[in-house]
């Protein structure tokens, strides 16, 4: 079973002067941690954690199932000195932090571009990420990690991606307080190096690490774009700006900055 989170303990370990964050709060339930932080006017590196969300947000306006027993966390970043074109990397950096945490508790993990953590040999969806740029240019990075065994009524993700959780895969640590601590430490470390390098994904090493853990590169994929358009082809690489390059069946290379990627099994 997973435990409740001790906000005071997390603050003592993670908030300045003892840690890298400016503020941290834990709530039992909220509609959306992303929405709460986006309207908060909070300081750089403000954290909000919820034990349950009633209106969790997914990509392209979808809802994100957020049952009690998961870890739902949003972080507000104001990365001064990072060009706006590099801000999408915060979404990918959050994925790297999730991979590090999953592997630290003995669960195989990889990343499906741009925002899914895949867990276990069956590559089920164990977490999702949603990053949003606010009106004042800050970025809210929302992470939903499935910790406890999932209810039977959680629906598959787009493309039929089966949901899974750390408990479903016999993780060695299921305490949400400890998992939140590990996740926020990894996220701060990765984001800090990336920020120090002006958002340069190559110099900071985040591009290399992302490629290492990508399950999308080399896969045959279907990319679902807005307006009902789609691209069929093979994912070739991730560019330094975070764009996914797909070699389409039409023989052309397509740079994709936003879209749903479905991994297609070989015929």
């Amino acid at each position: 079973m997973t435990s409740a989170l001790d906000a005071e303990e997390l603050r003592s370990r993670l908030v300045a002067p003892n840690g890298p964050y400016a503020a941290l709060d834990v709530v039992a339930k909220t509609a959306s941690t992303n929405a709460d932080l986006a309207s908060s006017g909070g300081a750089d590196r403000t954290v909000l954690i919820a034990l349950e969300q009633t209106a969790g947000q997914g990509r392209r306006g979808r809802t994100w199932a957020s049952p009690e027993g998961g870890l739902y966390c949003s972080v507000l970043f104001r990365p001064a000195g990072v060009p706006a074109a590099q801000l999408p990397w915060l979404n990918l950096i959050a994925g790297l932090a999730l991979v590090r945490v999953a592997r630290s508790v003995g669960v195989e993990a990889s990343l499906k571009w741009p925002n899914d953590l895949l867990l276990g040999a069956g590559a089920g969806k164990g977490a999702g990420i949603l990053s949003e740029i606010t009106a004042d240019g800050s970025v809210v990075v929302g992470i939903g990690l499935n910790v406890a065994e999932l209810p039977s009524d959680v629906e598959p993700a787009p493309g039929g991606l089966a949901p899974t959780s750390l408990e479903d895969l016999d993780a060695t640590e299921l305490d949400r307080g400890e998992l939140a601590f590990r996740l926020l430490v990894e996220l701060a470390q990765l984001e800090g190096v990336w920020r120090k390098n002006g958002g340069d994904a190559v110099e900071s090493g985040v591009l290399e690490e992302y490629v290492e853990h990508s399950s999308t590169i080399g896969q045959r994929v279907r990319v679902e774009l807005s307006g009902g358009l789609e691209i069929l082809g093979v994912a070739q690489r991730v560019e330094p700006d975070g764009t996914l390059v797909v070699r389409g069946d039409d023989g052309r290379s397509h740079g994709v900055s936003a879209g749903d990627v479905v991994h297609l099994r070989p015929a």
Side-chain angles (χ1 to χ4, degrees):
M1 293 293 292
T2 56
S3 65
L5 280 80
D6 186 329
E8 286 299 329
E9 180 184 0
L10 285 172
R11 276 194 284 267
S12 71
R13 300 171 76 186
L14 289 166
V15 172
N18 299 325
Y21 292 95
L24 183 150
D25 198 12
V26 178
V27 297
K29 182 186 292 188
T30 189
S32 163
T33 55
N34 263 28
D36 290 348
L37 273 192
S39 61
S40 70
D44 180 31
R45 289 182 170 170
T46 293
V47 181
L48 179 62
I49 302 172
L51 305 186
E52 183 180 358
Q53 292 184 121
T54 57
Q57 301 169 350
R59 281 171 54 79
R60 297 168 76 173
R62 300 188 186 95
T63 58
W64 166 257
S66 310
E68 206 282 335
L71 176 61
Y72 311 109
C73 172
S74 293
V75 183
L76 176 68
F77 290 108
R78 300 183 184 277
V82 174
Q86 295 300 110
L87 294 179
W89 263 103
L90 284 168
N91 200 78
L92 307 183
I93 285 169
L96 292 178
L98 283 165
V99 166
R100 290 182 177 186
V101 171
R103 293 188 171 199
S104 79
V105 298
V107 176
E108 180 182 342
S110 64
L111 295 167
K112 181 169 78 69
W113 188 95
N115 68 325
D116 290 332
L117 176 74
L118 305 184
L119 297 177
K125 180 171 178 173
I129 306 156
L130 179 67
S131 299
E132 301 174 283
I133 299 177
T134 69
D136 66 1
S138 60
V139 182
V140 177
V141 179
I143 299 170
L145 174 62
N146 298 333
V147 180
E149 183 178 355
L150 292 175
S152 59
D153 60 352
V154 175
E155 296 182 358
L161 194 58
T164 191
S165 73
L166 294 178
E167 186 172 17
D168 287 330
L169 295 167
D170 300 319
T172 58
E173 176 64 77
L174 293 173
D175 183 283
R176 283 182 292 174
E178 178 60 27
L179 292 168
F181 174 75
R182 295 188 192 187
L183 177 61
L184 289 166
V185 166
E186 297 291 3
L187 182 59
Q189 190 275 327
L190 286 158
E191 192 272 342
V193 173
W194 170 82
R195 187 188 298 205
K196 184 184 295 184
N197 284 276
D200 189 315
V202 176
E203 290 298 319
S204 61
V206 295
L207 176 58
E208 181 180 6
E209 186 172 347
Y210 189 87
V211 169
E212 177 186 349
H213 297 305
S214 172
S215 63
T216 299
I217 295 172
Q219 277 271 8
R220 180 162 175 77
V221 298
R222 181 177 72 249
V223 184
E224 300 172 351
L225 306 171
S226 59
L229 302 175
E230 65 178 31
I231 301 168
L232 286 170
V234 175
Q236 292 190 308
R237 65 185 181 275
V238 173
E239 295 281 27
D241 65 356
T243 298
L244 180 70
V245 177
V246 177
R247 177 76 170 178
D249 290 348
D250 58 7
R252 297 166 51 206
S253 289
H254 302 265
V256 180
S257 59
D260 286 329
V261 172
V262 178
H263 290 178
L264 301 175
R265 291 181 172 86

